[in-house]
């Protein structure tokens, strides 16, 4: 007796048409994202299309917003891969209702409305607050270096700029002189050409020399502005020879990362303990974290209406002015004063004790961290903010910005943080109104 199998007939037409949603289980993320997008205020995006009276009807912005948010939730960031998903992935098909925008449409929509997409962070955070996920009991701050869309090998120091620009200009001048000397002999062969055109490779060298001169002028102007801000004579400002600029993304900076030095941006996040909701975020081109504590606190207040009751941050944020600022705002703060060795005893406190009468805020912080309650409060930092960066970088594979320039990168980071909070709502089983 032969074995009986379930029927398998790939070419068999369906008796009745089926919806794409019939192939996904209830509660799938592909259903959740469009439901949330339907509750968001997209008037800023929609208004830009109302002014376009002519042209072929565009894809509905609500669909494209949902598509981008869903793609980022799935760790898909390339516009080509998103377009591929629209024709090959059931989840994408459900979100788009079987519409298939091409990658140029997706990329143009993201670029055109990046600021409005990043602003959705506030609306999703409000949904999380309304769902009871945001209490602002304990908030942890931290920064992570994210690779810029540029290579550090495209950076050049101010001192090398002059040397390289002069060498390129000398090389171009040499070949122009050679062309002029041999012009008469080549007239018969060249015909209508004049004989002094730059070869392609020399034209490229000339363009590079111009680019280097332009970058050099930018560094000089920046030095004059800094001197003027400091009350010095701008005309006497000197650019240090080791000051660098990147030709691919000039706004990015070389920063130290766990993998070595790279061309990066410093992405900041304030995360609430327990819910892992991001309640404040920003991006800066400055490598140190210490300058970002107060601005990030003000961002948290602007987003939620209040400061956190308790705050923790690593030693990168430790400064006398930061500790005083937290005390003035009534925040119960726990900031490490240094890094402990791995073999340090459990009751050890990092950093040398301050001199008597000097840095009183640091002395008070050292005393707080030496208590059992202080150590427990500070321990929340590592299990609060670091997992969020792990989810963004490792779980969803975002380790390098796709866009260039500080404004674009800030919009991209805002979109990533929006998606993180959206996933937290989904994982907590929050339903839309």
């Amino acid at each position: 007796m032969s074995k009986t199998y379930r029927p398998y007939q790939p070419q068999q037409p369906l008796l009745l048409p089926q919806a794409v949603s019939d192939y996904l289980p209830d509660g799938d993320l592909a259903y959740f994202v469009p439901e949330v997008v339907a509750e968001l205020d997209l008037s800023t995006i929609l208004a830009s299309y109302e002014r376009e009276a002519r042209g072929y009807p565009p894809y509905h912005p609500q669909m494209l917003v949902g598509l981008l948010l869903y793609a980022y939730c799935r760790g898909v960031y390339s516009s080509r891969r998103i377009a591929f998903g629209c024709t090959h992935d059931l989840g994408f098909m459900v979100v788009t209702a079987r519409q298939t925008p091409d990658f140029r449409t997706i990329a143009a929509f993201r670029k055109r409305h990046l600021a409005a997409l990043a602003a959705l962070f506030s609306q999703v955070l409000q949904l999380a607050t309304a769902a009871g996920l945001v209490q602002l009991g304990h908030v942890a701050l931290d920064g992570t270096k994210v690779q810029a869309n540029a290579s550090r090998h495209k950076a050049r120091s101010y001192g090398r700029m002059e040397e390289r620009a002069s060498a390129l200009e000398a090389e171009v001048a040499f070949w122009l002189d050679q062309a002029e000397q041999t012009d008469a002999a080549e007239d018969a062969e060249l015909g209508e050409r004049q004989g002094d055109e730059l070869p392609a490779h020399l034209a490229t060298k000339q363009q590079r020399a111009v680019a280097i001169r332009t970058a050099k002028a930018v560094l000089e102007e920046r030095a004059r502005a800094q001197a003027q801000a400091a009350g010095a004579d701008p005309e006497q400002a000197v650019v240090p020879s080791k000051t660098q600029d990147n030709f691919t993304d000039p706004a990015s900076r070389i920063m130290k990362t766990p993998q070595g030095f790279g061309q990066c941006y410093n992405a900041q996040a304030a995360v609430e303990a327990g819910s892992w909701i991001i309640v404040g975020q920003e991006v800066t081109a400055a490598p140190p974290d210490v300058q970002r504590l107060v601005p990030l606190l003000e961002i948290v207040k602007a987003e939620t209406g209040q400061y956190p009751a308790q705050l923790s941050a690593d030693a990168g944020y430790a400064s006398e002015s930061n500790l005083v600022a937290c005390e003035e705002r009534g925040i119960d703060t726990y900031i490490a004063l240094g890094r402990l060795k791995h073999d340090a005893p459990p009751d050890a406190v990092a950093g040398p004790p301050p001199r008597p009468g000097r840095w009183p805020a640091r002395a008070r912080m050292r005393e707080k961290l030496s208590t059992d309650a202080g150590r427990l409060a500070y321990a929340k930092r590592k299990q609060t903010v670091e997992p969020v960066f792990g989810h963004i970088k490792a779980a969803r594979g975002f380790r390098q910005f796709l866009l260039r320039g500080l404004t674009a990168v800030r919009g991209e980071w805002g979109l990533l943080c929006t998606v993180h909070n959206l996933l937290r709502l989904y994982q907590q089983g929050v339903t839309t109104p």
Side-chain angles (χ1 to χ4, degrees), residues 153-168:
H153 300 293
K154 292 297 182 181
R156 194 177 297 275
S157 67
Y158 180 82
R160 287 280 295 162
M161 282 183 189
E162 177 62 34
E163 178 183 335
R164 184 56 179 159
S166 299
L168 289 171

Side-chain angles (χ1 to χ4, degrees), residues 88-317:
H88 291 76
D89 189 293
L90 281 173
F92 283 84
M93 293 179 187
V94 169
V95 172
T96 62
R98 291 300 301 270
Q99 299 185 64
T100 55
D102 60 34
F103 74 91
R104 291 183 181 87
T105 300
I106 297 169
F109 182 84
R110 175 169 52 190
K111 181 179 180 180
R112 177 180 180 181
H113 303 293
L114 185 61
L117 290 169
L120 297 179
F121 173 82
S122 298
Q123 295 191 49
V124 174
L125 182 58
Q126 289 172 10
L127 290 177
T129 303
L133 296 182
V134 178
Q135 305 295 331
L136 287 188
H138 183 102
V139 169
L141 306 183
D142 205 356
T144 184
K145 306 302 189 292
V146 180
Q147 178 71 34
N149 189 358
S151 169
R152 68 184 181 90
H153 300 293
K154 292 297 182 181
R156 194 177 297 275
S157 67
Y158 180 82
R160 287 280 295 162
M161 282 183 189
E162 177 62 34
E163 178 183 335
R164 184 56 179 159
S166 299
L168 289 171
E169 291 166 348
E171 185 176 350
V172 172
F174 170 78
W175 285 109
L176 286 176
D177 184 61
Q178 289 291 105
E180 185 177 352
Q181 292 179 17
T182 58
D183 182 62
E186 293 179 346
D187 277 346
E189 179 183 352
L190 294 173
E192 296 299 321
R193 297 180 63 222
Q194 296 187 18
D196 59 352
E197 296 90 346
L198 277 177
H201 71 286
L202 286 184
T204 301
K205 291 178 183 293
Q206 191 175 50
Q207 293 168 359
R208 289 172 60 191
V210 171
I212 291 174
R213 291 292 186 192
T214 302
K216 187 168 176 282
V218 169
L219 292 178
E220 291 169 350
E221 181 60 31
R222 188 185 302 165
R224 286 192 289 268
Q226 291 174 348
Q228 187 173 8
D233 183 2
E235 300 305 321
Q236 301 297 321
V238 177
V239 183
S241 61
K242 293 186 178 181
T243 301
Q244 293 189 335
D245 197 24
N246 190 279
F247 293 100
T248 308
D249 186 356
S252 62
R253 296 289 181 269
I254 292 181
M255 302 181 187
K256 186 177 182 180
T257 72
Q259 293 75 37
F261 288 92
Q263 199 76 29
C264 300
Y265 285 98
N266 186 359
Q268 298 280 316
V271 183
E272 188 191 53
S275 67
W276 289 288
I277 293 288
I278 299 175
V279 295
Q281 51 81 21
E282 68 161 358
V283 176
T284 177
D289 289 333
V290 67
Q291 303 165 354
R292 309 317 309 163
L293 185 139
V294 174
L296 203 52
L297 283 177
E298 296 305 318
I299 290 173
V300 171
K301 185 178 182 182
E303 294 286 357
T304 64
Q306 60 181 333
Y307 294 117
Q310 195 174 78
L311 176 75
S312 62
D314 64 21
Y317 296 88

Side-chain angles (χ1 to χ4, degrees), residues 30-99:
Y31 303 133
F32 178 77
V33 171
E35 290 174 357
V36 172
V37 173
E39 300 297 328
L40 299 179
D41 180 8
L42 304 181
S43 58
T44 302
I45 297 176
L46 294 170
S48 65
Y49 292 93
E50 297 299 327
R51 296 189 291 269
E52 298 175 354
R54 304 177 63 181
Y56 193 79
Y59 288 104
H60 200 292
Q62 183 175 325
M63 181 274 288
L64 289 171
V65 170
L67 173 61
L68 283 172
L69 292 179
Y70 179 76
Y72 273 56
C73 286
R74 293 276 302 274
V76 180
Y77 309 107
S78 163
S79 57
R80 285 179 169 82
R81 289 184 60 200
I82 295 173
F84 181 85
C86 293
T87 57
H88 291 76
D89 189 293
L90 281 173
F92 283 84
M93 293 179 187
V94 169
V95 172
T96 62
R98 291 300 301 270
Q99 299 185 64

